[in-house]
Structure formats: C-alpha cells, structure tokens
Amino acid sequence: MVRTWMRAILASALALALTPVAAFAYTPGQEVPIPFPKRYLPFDTPYVNFTPTGGQVLVSNAPETINENGAKRADGSEITGQYNAALYRDTVTGPFRFWASHYNKTTHKLKFWLHVKNVSGEPIRFYKTMEAYDDANVTAAASNVTKRFMNAEPNPALLATIPADGSYYFAISDADHVSIGESMVYLAEFNAVAEDDGASANVLMSHVVTTDSVNDPTPYAATATIARTNATADRSDDYRGLLAHWGRAGAVNLTLTDANPFTGLRISDLGYSGEQEKLMTRWDVLGNPVEQREVRFITPTVNKLRLAYWYTDYNVDVNITNETRYPIVHTLYGSNGSNPGFVNYQVNGAPALNYHFSTNTVVPVASTGTYRLRTMVMPSASLPLGLFFAAGSPDAVPNELAVVQAETTALQSHADQARTTVNAMADSADKTALLQRLAALQAVIAASGKMPAAEQAAAAFEQTLQQADLSIGNPKERERTLAGLRTELQKVRDLRENVQSLIVALPASDQPVVQGHIDSLAKRSARINGIVQSLQAILTEAEDPMRQGNGTLPRFKAERGATVDLGEMAADVVGTAPAIRWISFDSAIASIDPEGRLTGNRNGVVKIAAYDDLGVHYVIVVVHH
C-alpha cells in the first residue's frame, strides 16, 4: 500500500501544478531559449519536401584562407601559390549564380576577379542580374552580403558582348581591395545568352585572386593547375565546385496537437526530400584537373559528401494546422543546440532580416501557421540551423509546452525530456510549478507502468484456463488441478491489487488530460478485477459442472463434427458484447474458441461458460449425430 506521506506529497505537487505558467512577449530579433526539447522531423518525413529551382551555382570557398608563400599547413607542408592564381574554374550555362568567401592571411592587399571566356562558339551577351559584396571580418561580411542580396531586385545589366572564343574580366572586390586580415564575401547572379536569339550560352568562368598591383587576371585564368587548398590528410578545405541549382521551392505541411505541440527541421543538413544536391568539381585539392566528380572528404574514419549548404535560396510555403489547446503557432529559427550564428530570412516578401543567435537560442520569425519563408544560410555559419514550429499564446511559446506534451502522452520518454527542459530553466515559481506537475505525472506513469503486467497476467491465465481439462472424473485429481489454477489466479489478483493501491493513492488532478489518465487506469483496474471475479466463479463451477439445477439453464443443440456460432445462437442469453469469451467444461464433448465458435466432438451434454468483466452466463449444449 502507498503510505500516507506519499499521498500528501502528491497532493502538494498537484496544488502547485495548478499555478499558471507565464510566457513573455517576444520582440523582433530577441534571442530566446528553446523552451522545449529539440526534436527534429526525420529526413524521410512525407510532410516536408523541396523542388530544385534556378540555374547552376559556381562556388569558390577553398582555399578558405589565402596564405602567404612559405606559410605552413596543419601537417607542416609549405604553402605556395595561393594568390596570383585561379581559385576555381568551370563551365556554366545561361543563368547562374556565383559566390565566394575567402580570408586574406597574406602580407598583401588582395584583388579578386571573375574572368569570363565565351566557349559557346558564337557571340554572346553577358549580364549581371544581382550582386552583393563586402569585405570585413567574415561574419560581418557574410551578414551584410546575404541581407543585401536577399533585398535586391533582379535588374539585368549588360556587362559585355563577347565574341566567340573571346573573353571579358572584371574585379569583384571593391576599389580598396581586401586588406590583410579581412575576409571577402561575394554573391551574384549572372546570365550568358546568345547574341542572336537569346538562348542560354556556355561560358568558362575563372575565379582569380591577385595582389592589388595586378591589372589583368587573364594570365591566371588559363593555367594548367589552380591554387592548392589548405587540405591535409585529416583536415578538409575542399568546398569549391559546381551545384546544379541555386534555389529550393519547399512545402512544409504539419499538424500540431497537444501530443505533438512542437517539432523542428534541420536546415542545410543531409536534406529532406528534394533538398540536397552534390557539389561537383573538376579540380582536386592539390589544384590538378580531374574528370568531373563529387567532392568528398575522406580519411580512414570519415567519408563526407559535400552538399549544397550555404547560399541555397530557400522559398518555403509553411502550412501548420493547429489542433492544440493554444491559439497560435510560432516559428523560431536559430541554433540546433550546439552552435551560435546568424539567421537571414524574409516572411511573405518583407525586407530581409539578419539576427544573431547564441548557442541553444532562437529568434522569433512568425506567429502564424501559414506564410512564405525565404531564407539563405550564409558562409561561415555552423550547420545545421534549427527551424522550429511550436504552439503557444499570442505572445510566446509557454515554458509548460513540453510538460503539456508529457501529460498528454504519459510517456516516460516525454516526461524525462520535459524534466530536462524544465531543470534548465532559471529558478522561479514557474519552474517549481512545472516540476511539481511532472512529479504528479510521474506517479501516474508509475501506476500505468504496472498495469500491463496485471493485464498480461490475466490474459495468460485465461489462456491457461482455456487449455485446462475441467472434465477430470477423479475427485482428488480434479481438486489438485483446480487448486493449481486458484494459485495462479491469486497471482493475477495480487498484481491487480498492487496496481489498484497506486491508483487509489493518486490525488484528483485539475489537469483534465492527467485526470483522464487516472480515470482510464481506474477503469482498466476495475476490468481486471471483474475478469478475476468471473474466472473465480468459473473455477468454483468447475468443482461440479453438472450439478443439480443445470436443467434450468438454456439448452442448445450442435451436431457432432459441425462448427456453429454459439455466440450468435445464445445472444439473447449472454448478450453480444465483443469482450465476451467462452470456456467449455468438457472439450472432449465440445470445444469452443474464445470468440464462441463451438465444434461438436462426440455425443454428450456439456456446460459452456460465457464471461466478461461483468459476470458469467452458463448454457448447456447437447451434441448429437
């Protein structure tokens, strides 16, 4: 039995659990802790999908750091030739985007160029549609470029008309170039079209870096090799190549319930349906030409395929159906739990926003379930980012959300996750109230955890009784058999009484869903008790199944060798409840399965029991030929 002091503790926990949990209104750009367990949809979920959009992407992000000649790599090898050199070269077609991010660790100002060679075999026009550039520390430069590009409107400007086999070049760094200790970030969209009919044309693009004294990058755009990266046997520096598409049109269609009031997506990770593409290259990390192949970082313990992570242009239609107790669905964007960084996004075409987030924090993005989200992950960002959808009040996601889920599902895993989340909160009355609610819930889960053993024991005993020979003629042997069955039934009774003692000790809850669990446990316990009483009555009847008085029982006939539905035949006597089960007191005369299908085995008269948790009915069956 549960002691009085335990009942008092649970009652105290319940009283504190009823205290409302506050939620504070969000402000734009506010960093807020993630107030629920970080749980992400699997990549194979049917509720998230993407379709590639746009043209190719030429990427130059390796060597990420441009070093001075004579500098050392991590493995001690000497670096030469990372400036006054091509950083990447490849052929693109028609509309394409190009982005680059590099850090200047040389002793010179650096100048970055794009060299365009017309390899289409006919005159072309080369347009710049959009661009954004900055040089500063890498975080500031990437933030500025991303925000400017997302706010830019397409405005094609003709840069050059290039004859067949002709070329054109231009500096992408600004007039004062990239100073020592600065990073440059550049993102632009271009288009190469045939002069005569405007069809997409092929161009060979070379990204070149030189000292600021160089005025023409052409000599470096046609070299047999390109700059070697800073990669070593156990350190990667290989993100340069070509991606097939710059954009993703996405759709997120989810339903939030009290049992699942929050969920998350990993942005720029291995990818949901249609999201990811392989980065392909024509150069190895040593700068030597290769047949086009996927970029992989391979060591004895790592085999990592490079995908489309940064500057993918996501346009996602979000549609969240809210079936929770809360009126609002919030979108929160930021850390996946381990990384600080910045998010860049637009909602329904509004101006782009750039906000910082710390480790394990997010920023509020939207407080509606249906909207268009555009986002780009900027270079230097640690991946993946976390995009979360959570139910809440109009102001914020409440601190109680994980507790509500645990109370709804009564799953130990959810209770454990909720407890971890609440324990991470600063000490407050809210935290105390939530911990007390979890304590009350834990008592319910403990009782619930004992219930299956009692139910399974009852079901196992029913099978044992079905298989027992209740027609033994020898009185002593019959009594030994029945005594063994009574002992087994007592074990079932003991298990049920143990569970019942836990249920009785549970105080009533003003959390309706928790009270629902308590009521359900009480009903399950009562049902086991009813079954035990019915089985006990059958064992008592088995002491003398053909006693006087059987003549008053309803009688039915069945032919030997035939199978009949006794449940249907005796429905007026025993009822039609689906939970009714059946037992024969002499299976040699007539056997019956738990659903009431009776088979006559030999001529004779047999008593049949029909029972459920509400009681037992007996009928007589006469088997004849």
Side-chain angles (χ1 to χ4, degrees), residues 533-548:
Q533 292 180 359
S534 294
L535 295 173
Q536 180 62 58
I538 291 172
L539 290 180
T540 300
E541 190 71 15
E543 295 173 3
D544 183 11
M546 303 310 290
R547 69 184 69 198
Q548 282 188 335

Side-chain angles (χ1 to χ4, degrees), residues 43-66:
F43 292 127
D44 61 355
T45 176
Y47 306 116
V48 181
N49 59 80
F50 293 92
T51 300
T53 61
Q56 296 168 295
V57 184
L58 191 69
V59 180
S60 178
N61 190 215
E64 190 169 0
T65 297
I66 310 297

Side-chain angles (χ1 to χ4, degrees), residues 5 48 68 103 147 153 205 253 260 329-330 358 406 510 519 522:
W5 58 265
V48 181
E68 186 56 71
Y103 173 65
K147 187 174 180 180
E153 293 291 337
M205 301 295 300
N253 295 286
N260 186 33
V329 173
H330 292 276
S358 302
D510 279 358
D519 293 343

Side-chain angles (χ1 to χ4, degrees), residues 493-573:
R493 186 180 288 109
D494 291 343
L495 285 171
R496 181 263 167 186
E497 289 177 354
N498 181 40
V499 175
Q500 181 63 18
S501 68
L502 296 176
I503 296 171
V504 170
L506 296 173
S509 175
D510 279 358
Q511 298 292 329
V513 68
V514 176
Q515 186 59 48
H517 293 312
I518 296 172
D519 293 343
S520 175
L521 288 172
K523 290 178 181 178
R524 290 166 68 184
S525 178
R527 181 180 176 279
I528 297 174
N529 187 53
I531 291 291
V532 168
Q533 292 180 359
S534 294
L535 295 173
Q536 180 62 58
I538 291 172
L539 290 180
T540 300
E541 190 71 15
E543 295 173 3
D544 183 11
M546 303 310 290
R547 69 184 69 198
Q548 282 188 335
N550 284 344
T552 64
L553 296 177
R555 300 174 75 86
F556 300 92
K557 293 182 179 181
E559 291 187 3
R560 187 179 67 214
T563 297
V564 297
D565 188 343
L566 186 58
E568 182 178 347
M569 295 167 60
D572 291 342
V573 177

Side-chain angles (χ1 to χ4, degrees), residues 454-502:
E455 291 174 328
Q456 291 164 12
F461 182 81
E462 289 183 84
Q463 290 183 352
T464 298
L465 190 58
Q466 281 277 347
Q467 298 166 4
D469 184 0
L470 302 181
S471 63
I472 300 172
N474 184 293
K476 290 184 178 180
E477 187 176 346
R478 176 194 295 272
E479 179 53 33
R480 281 196 299 270
T481 298
L482 293 177
L485 291 171
R486 292 189 197 100
T487 298
E488 293 303 311
L489 184 58
Q490 184 60 45
K491 294 178 182 178
V492 177
R493 186 180 288 109
D494 291 343
L495 285 171
R496 181 263 167 186
E497 289 177 354
N498 181 40
V499 175
Q500 181 63 18
S501 68
L502 296 176

